[in-house]
Amino acid sequence: MKKQDLLQELRNIRSVAMASVDAQGNPKNRIIDVMLADENAIYFCTARGKAFYQELMMKPVIAITGMNASWQMIRLQGEAEHLTKQVMWIDKIFMENPQMKQVYPKDSRYILEAFKVAKGVLEWFDLGKEPINRECLRMEDDVQLLQDGYQIQTNCIGCNKCLSSCPQQCIKQGKPYHIVQSHCLHCGLCYELCPVHAIRKITECA
């Protein structure tokens, strides 16, 4: 999957979970609509009086999760940028999302402020395939990243316990055995069963 495909799919899903951080460092989650998407970013808005707006202005980090009808999940963790030319962006959002005129009629729309997310990490997780499929990429340059999960080290003794127990059968024989990361559930069963602790947890994808 390419970045622009994942961003457009977030727009297609539309209503996604967005999490921010409050002044006490606690996570706060809510459903927010993705109002616009282009090849580099997604765009959303919120009212200046809302806690969400205050949280973003204080600490502009955000985590977004959406799932479509095909059980394909997209996760985005990154930075929310408060846009300049707010009137222009809000008018554009209302042009592309005319139902917003019922919620914020006439000039009341300008209580809203627009943000974009163009920096961060995107993850694609397809549960509708056998085996499952996942990808992780950095938004800034559309580069694939090593994903969170597990990696088998050189002290693997080839005992076959990990391979035989893997629910997605994504572990392959070799010296050492190796995990096909794009099909891994990240469940950790191989990690728990390895008798020589040859499997380590990796955290490259945000």
Side-chain angles (χ1 to χ4, degrees):
M1 295 289 288
K2 291 291 186 179
K3 174 179 68 172
Q4 65 185 75
D5 299 324
L6 297 178
L7 296 175
Q8 185 57 53
E9 187 58 25
L10 280 173
R11 167 63 173 158
N12 295 341
I13 294 168
R14 188 179 176 83
S15 296
V16 299
M18 290 195 188
S20 55
V21 179
D22 69 13
Q24 289 73 46
N26 299 313
K28 298 292 183 179
N29 203 6
R30 73 278 292 160
I31 300 297
I32 297 287
D33 284 352
V34 176
M35 294 296 186
L36 303 168
D38 59 29
E39 61 185 13
N40 293 311
I42 60 163
Y43 302 80
F44 65 94
C45 61
T46 189
R48 289 190 297 275
K50 291 183 179 288
F52 186 34
Y53 175 81
Q54 304 300 326
E55 290 156 10
L56 291 174
M57 296 303 290
M58 176 186 63
K59 190 171 185 179
V61 294
I62 195 165
I64 300 169
T65 305
M67 179 175 280
N68 64 23
S70 299
W71 299 98
Q72 295 165 330
M73 183 194 76
I74 300 172
R75 188 171 66 136
L76 191 168
Q77 187 169 334
E79 178 183 333
E81 178 186 343
H82 185 234
L83 293 167
T84 59
K85 300 181 180 178
Q86 282 290 329
V87 170
M88 181 200 78
W89 281 107
I90 294 301
D91 285 347
K92 185 173 183 178
I93 284 171
F94 272 64
M95 185 179 299
E96 296 293 328
N97 302 271
Q99 74 281 0
M100 289 290 292
K101 295 176 183 177
Q102 298 177 10
V103 184
Y104 290 96
K106 299 182 180 179
D107 285 351
S108 67
R109 71 175 68 178
Y110 300 118
I111 191 64
L112 297 169
E113 299 272 322
F115 294 81
K116 78 172 182 178
V117 184
K119 296 179 181 179
V121 174
L122 277 162
E123 185 177 5
W124 167 258
F125 187 23
D126 190 348
L127 283 166
K129 289 185 176 180
E130 285 190 29
I132 62 96
N133 188 60
R134 70 194 316 151
E135 297 177 30
C136 187
L137 59 89
R138 185 170 51 237
M139 290 182 69
E140 291 88 325
D141 51 17
D142 210 0
V143 168
Q144 292 285 330
L145 299 174
L146 182 66
Q147 300 177 51
D148 286 350
Y150 296 87
Q151 191 174 69
I152 302 174
Q153 305 300 290
T154 55
N155 58 321
C156 166
I157 59 174
C159 68
N160 224 44
K161 285 189 177 180
C162 60
L163 187 152
S164 62
S165 63
C166 177
Q168 287 293 308
Q169 294 298 292
C170 69
I171 298 176
K172 306 300 179 184
Q173 290 180 327
K175 294 185 179 181
Y177 282 27
H178 69 277
I179 299 169
V180 180
Q181 296 295 333
S182 60
H183 301 318
C184 179
L185 282 169
H186 301 171
C187 68
L189 183 57
C190 60
Y191 177 82
E192 291 187 0
L193 292 177
C194 181
V196 294
H197 307 292
I199 300 174
R200 73 178 182 98
K201 186 169 179 60
I202 53 176
T203 55
E204 297 295 328
C205 186

